[in-house]
Amino acid sequence: MRGAALLLAALVLAGCGSRAATPESCLSGAAQMARIEGGDFLMGAAAMRPEEGPARKVQVKPFWIDRTEVTNAQFARFVEATGYRTLAERGLSKARYPQLTDQQRRPASLVFVGAKARRLDDPGLWWRIVPGADWRHPRGPGSSIKDKAGWPVVHIAYEDALAYARWLGRDLPTEAEWEYAARGGLEARRYVWGDQPQDPKHPRANTWQGVFPVVDTGGDGHEASAAPVGCYEPNGYGLYDMAGNVWEWTRDPAAPGAGEHVIKGGSFLCSDDFCFRYRPAARTAGPPDSGASHIGFRTVKR
């Protein structure tokens, strides 16, 4: 186990370059979890978007949470042990989606492909449903996760994330648990590190720099893509990537009966000139029937 942890650490550090985190962020198993003591906090914010407010006092009980997003290597161990196949690999159920054709139900997932022109009114211009895209093939057939053991696993649907968590005897965080952990002890601050915006010379998270969705300058070290876990400074609770990199599933439904669950944290696609959702108060609904190339997760233990 120690040898596997050191190997994973080396892979992650190699991918992070000069912005690498300390090796302990890459340890496997329970050593990678942080104890959160719980308490009262101000959840949400004065609404920058309608779904974020109003801010309200919420109490959270003590829990443990993964210090990093679940990685490809960790998810691969789960698949090897159980034979589990993700929703993107199985395709949609005919019983659940009888109105769709066989072609529409085929194994596929959402992939960000960018755009040549700035058209914010039509996300279909920069997203594609790609047959054969899944956690092993993040951009579709021909792509792979070779040499990406320490990257966050993506193309994970809610049911996939929950299956992994239950395999470990854990759960997915509630929205309140996630936001409390993300704030790292800072009360009512805009970002997980405080109120100061990102410094281009010393980025604190993997987000989009440039004109979204046309050009990401890669000023944070990663151009229009996820980064290995733990490449940026941890928050006050020692948690990595609670802003940007990939969205993370929570247990809470986004709306009653909709089948969607809240995702938090933003991703490498979050830009200040568009969604601006890499703030702890930000939230949105994850797709009910698939994953995407910018959605991952972390687990909790209560």
Side-chain angles (χ1 to χ4, degrees):
M1 181 66 73
R2 178 172 173 77
L6 291 174
L7 174 60
L8 179 57
L11 289 169
V12 171
L13 293 174
C16 290
S18 62
R19 297 188 177 93
T22 54
E24 62 264 24
S25 70
C26 309
L27 294 178
S28 60
Q32 196 185 1
M33 301 191 88
R35 167 80 173 178
I36 308 298
E37 293 303 328
D40 297 331
F41 82 109
L42 196 63
M43 182 174 173
M48 296 186 70
R49 290 181 174 273
E51 71 273 10
E52 295 176 11
R56 60 202 184 280
K57 278 286 185 181
V58 174
Q59 185 177 55
V60 174
K61 294 180 180 179
F63 63 100
W64 292 80
I65 187 168
D66 291 333
R67 295 181 68 195
T68 71
E69 295 147 338
V70 174
T71 65
N72 287 320
Q74 292 169 323
F75 197 78
R77 288 195 286 271
F78 161 61
V79 170
E80 182 178 2
T82 65
Y84 185 85
R85 296 174 67 224
T86 61
L87 180 57
E89 295 170 288
R90 288 179 271 129
L92 300 179
S93 163
K94 187 173 183 178
R96 186 173 181 182
Y97 297 93
Q99 75 280 15
L100 301 181
T101 65
D102 289 344
Q103 185 178 19
Q104 289 172 325
R105 289 192 297 266
R106 69 197 187 284
S109 194
L110 284 167
V111 176
F112 177 78
V113 296
K116 294 181 179 179
R118 184 173 170 81
R119 282 281 306 278
L120 301 182
D121 59 328
D122 187 2
L125 293 175
W126 62 82
W127 285 100
R128 295 287 184 275
I129 298 176
V130 177
D134 56 46
W135 73 277
R136 289 187 179 93
H137 310 96
R139 298 195 64 81
S143 64
S144 77
I145 55 171
K146 183 180 179 181
D147 301 326
K148 291 190 174 182
W151 268 249
V153 65
V154 293
H155 294 294
I156 298 298
Y158 175 80
E159 64 186 72
D160 304 327
L162 190 58
Y164 173 92
R166 287 175 172 171
W167 175 66
L168 291 174
R170 303 179 192 170
D171 200 354
L172 298 179
T174 65
E175 182 180 3
E177 287 171 337
W178 194 98
E179 186 171 330
Y180 183 80
R183 290 185 178 278
L186 298 179
E187 181 79 4
R189 299 303 179 101
R190 174 168 289 189
Y191 306 102
V192 301
W193 55 79
D195 287 325
Q196 302 78 25
Q198 286 241 59
D199 180 351
K201 296 182 179 179
H202 302 285
R204 297 174 181 264
N206 181 18
T207 59
W208 186 282
Q209 292 88 48
V211 179
F212 183 86
V214 182
V215 177
D216 182 358
T217 65
D220 56 12
H222 300 277
E223 184 179 340
S225 71
V229 301
C231 283
Y232 303 88
E233 294 179 8
N235 72 359
Y237 291 152
L239 307 179
Y240 295 85
D241 301 311
M242 299 300 282
N245 214 26
V246 296
W247 285 98
E248 300 179 18
W249 288 107
T250 74
R251 283 295 304 265
D252 290 5
E260 298 172 318
H261 288 262
V262 173
I263 52 175
K264 298 279 284 185
S267 78
F268 62 88
L269 298 179
C270 284
S271 65
D272 290 356
D273 69 344
F274 181 53
C275 79
F276 198 39
R277 281 193 170 107
Y278 61 92
R279 297 164 291 107
R283 60 198 299 271
T284 193
D289 53 8
S290 72
S293 57
H294 68 333
I295 300 179
F297 70 107
R298 70 181 75 208
T299 68
V300 298
K301 181 169 63 176
R302 301 182 184 94

